[in-house]
């Protein structure tokens, strides 16, 4: 892997953009099914509820398959893993597009989810390594921006195209684009040959750190809060805010733009002050969701709060992912996969609880209340993570660290950087230590 210093100062390596394009394609395939369910169900001869299993199967494949594939491909070169994941991803869409069996399409969805989990797990590691310590969070933000952009652009275009070509058209397009992405990954991702030194045991051993599980908990809670509300945002907009059904897609685009801006802000601010960024963003998310309950009777206030919820909520994600990869040290692949699983677990759990709240006496405001509580609970693992970091000594401010850690930054901010990334202190001679001791006396 080339040293990040070889890239243009202040600019991320091009490989990060290539990886972001891959996450864009995989994010599109995860969510585009929702807009194609009626056509797909009718063509395959199943009901819409059963066709919805295609979404559930993909989520389960991501939750379980990500860590499994991360370990299964551990000894393979990372570039080969990424190219192989994209190839399997493309093949899965070809099989689904050619099939008339719901069972085959369901199986193809599971396989593509496994490939997606492997791509994300390795892709996050490569992006953070290529960007270096000073740009790792920003690199993760760019990669996650590809996923967010999929909701803003990829999913609407795929759903719109499916109205004219049938559900198979978007599948063929995704197959071709992912094959093209595999070519770019093979061209621009640097060759690595030292991955065999990392064992499954070392990857699992890295999970013994308590602060890793704090980052996982934060990932589950923040995504559970935001997506619990987003999943059932339409009843809130139409039944309570009085927004016409035809305008709802525009509000969803506003949410997507907020999420895209949040990942960018979190990626930039999180490199310098990760804990301050995550704690502030989680608090603002909880506040926006709480305010959505009484203020959702007005359409303008509702749209503004939906944008703020997305902006603040998605600012947490790149920082949490980057911290998890840093904490894992030399064994980051499994940790990266588990972080992705944590996000999907939060989405699944939050949506399930929000669905029950929607059916309760709370009505359309139920999901927002569930989201607000979940976002507020995110402050617990984040605060615990900050307090754990405060027990470690602050690195010396010298020429090597001044650019990465400003003098005004708190000790908590510098403590989230692993010791391996801190420059070693020069050893002093016994005579100098003796003179210091005499001076102190």
């Amino acid at each position: 892997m080339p040293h990040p210093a070889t890239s243009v100062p202040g600019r991320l390596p091009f490989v990060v953009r290539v990886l972001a394009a891959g996450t864009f394609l995989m994010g599109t395939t995860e969510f585009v099914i929702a807009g194609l369910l009626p056509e797909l169900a009718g063509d395959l001869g199943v009901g819409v509820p059963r066709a919805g299993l295609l979404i559930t199967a993909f989520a389960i494949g991501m939750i379980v398959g990500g860590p499994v594939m991360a370990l299964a491909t551990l000894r393979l070169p990372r570039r080969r893993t990424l190219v192989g994941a994209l190839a399997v991803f493309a093949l899965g869409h070809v099989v689904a597009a050619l099939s008339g069996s719901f069972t085959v399409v369901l199986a193809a969805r599971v396989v593509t989810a496994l490939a997606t989990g492997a791509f994300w797990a390795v892709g996050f590691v490569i992006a953070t390594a290529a960007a270096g310590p000073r740009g790792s969070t920003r690199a993760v933000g760019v990669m996650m921006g590809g996923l967010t952009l999929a909701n803003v652009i990829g999913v609407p275009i795929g759903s719109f195209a499916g109205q004219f070509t049938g559900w198979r058209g978007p599948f063929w397009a995704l197959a071709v684009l992912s094959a093209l992405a595999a070519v770019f990954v093979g061209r621009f991702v640097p060759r690595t040959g030292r991955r065999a030194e990392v064992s499954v045991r070392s990857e699992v051993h890295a999970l013994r750190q308590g602060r890793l599980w704090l980052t996982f908990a934060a990932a589950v809670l923040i995504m559970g809060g935001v997506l619990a509300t987003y999943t059932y945002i339409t009843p809130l907009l139409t039944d309570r805010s009085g927004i016409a059904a035809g305008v709802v897609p525009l509000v969803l685009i506003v949410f997507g733009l907020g999420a895209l801006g949040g990942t960018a802000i979190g990626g930039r601010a999180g490199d310098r002050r990760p804990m301050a960024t995550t704690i502030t963003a989680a608090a603002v998310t909880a506040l926006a969701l709480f305010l959505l309950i009484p203020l959702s009777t007005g359409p303008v206030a509702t749209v503004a709060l939906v944008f703020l919820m997305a902006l603040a909520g998605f600012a947490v994600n790149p920082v949490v992912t980057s911290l998890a990869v840093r904490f894992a040290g030399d064994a980051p692949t499994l940790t990266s996969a588990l972080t992705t699983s944590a996000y999907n677990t939060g989405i699944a759990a939050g949506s399930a609880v929000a669905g029950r709240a929607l059916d309760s006496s709370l009505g359309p405001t139920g999901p927002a209340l569930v989201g607000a509580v979940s976002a507020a609970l995110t402050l617990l693992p984040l605060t615990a993570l900050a307090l754990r970091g405060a027990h470690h000594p602050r690195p010396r401010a010298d020429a090597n660290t001044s650019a990465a850690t400003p003098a005004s930054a708190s000790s908590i901010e510098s403590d989230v950087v692993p010791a391996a990334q801190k420059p070693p202190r020069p050893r002093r001679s016994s005579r100098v230590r003796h003179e210091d001791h005499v001076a102190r006396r």
Side-chain angles (χ1 to χ4, degrees), residues 257-349:
L257 293 174
L260 187 62
T263 55
I265 292 173
R268 288 184 175 273
D271 274 324
R272 299 185 61 185
R273 300 183 65 91
M275 297 317 304
T277 300
T278 52
I279 291 175
T280 302
V284 172
T285 304
L287 178 61
L289 287 167
F290 273 120
L291 291 177
L292 194 60
I293 298 172
L295 299 181
S296 56
T297 53
V300 176
T302 301
V303 174
L305 289 172
V306 166
F307 176 82
L308 182 60
M309 167 189 73
L311 184 74
F314 277 79
V316 178
N317 298 346
V319 188
V320 168
T321 303
S322 178
L323 290 179
V325 173
R326 292 184 192 177
F327 292 157
D330 294 331
T333 307
L334 179 59
T335 296
S336 177
L338 287 173
T339 306
T340 303
S341 296
Y343 290 129
N344 283 275
T345 300
I347 293 172

Side-chain angles (χ1 to χ4, degrees), residues 13 57 108 146 154 158 193 196 233 272 279 307 315 352 359 402 434:
I233 195 67
R272 299 185 61 185
I279 291 175
F307 176 82
D359 292 333
S402 59
H434 174 70

Side-chain angles (χ1 to χ4, degrees), residues 37-239:
L37 277 183
E39 294 82 2
L40 194 149
D43 187 46
L44 298 180
V46 298
V48 173
R50 189 181 179 193
L53 292 175
L54 296 173
I55 300 175
T56 305
F58 196 96
I60 294 175
M62 285 288 295
I63 294 172
V64 179
V68 172
M69 294 304 297
L71 293 178
T73 61
L74 188 61
R75 294 187 178 276
L76 294 177
R78 286 177 177 146
R79 182 171 66 173
R80 185 181 302 175
T81 300
L82 292 178
V83 173
L86 285 168
V88 172
F89 184 85
L91 182 61
H93 283 80
V94 170
V95 171
L98 291 174
S99 177
S101 168
F102 175 77
T103 302
V104 173
V105 175
L106 185 66
R109 289 284 290 175
V110 174
V111 171
T112 54
L114 294 177
T116 301
F119 183 91
W120 283 1
V122 177
F124 281 133
V125 175
I126 291 179
T128 54
R134 298 182 183 180
S136 59
T137 306
R138 184 183 169 201
V140 172
V142 170
M143 278 196 65
M144 287 188 148
L147 177 62
T148 307
L149 200 61
N151 288 287
V152 179
I153 298 177
V155 172
I157 290 178
S159 300
F160 182 76
Q163 304 301 319
F164 296 94
T165 64
W167 66 271
R168 301 176 193 273
F171 272 59
W172 280 113
L174 286 166
V176 173
L177 291 175
S178 55
L180 184 62
V183 175
F184 272 84
V185 167
R187 169 66 178 83
F188 291 104
V189 172
R191 184 190 302 273
T192 57
R194 301 183 59 183
R195 201 174 176 206
E197 298 178 4
V198 181
S199 65
V200 173
R201 182 177 180 180
S202 63
E203 291 280 344
V204 175
H205 182 77
L207 299 179
R208 297 176 62 180
Q209 301 181 68
R211 55 184 182 174
L212 269 181
W213 292 99
L214 290 174
T215 61
F216 295 156
V220 170
L221 290 169
I222 194 64
M223 274 296 92
V226 174
L227 269 298
T229 307
Y230 176 75
T231 302
Y232 299 101
I233 195 67
T234 299
L236 181 72
L237 297 175
T238 57
D239 300 343

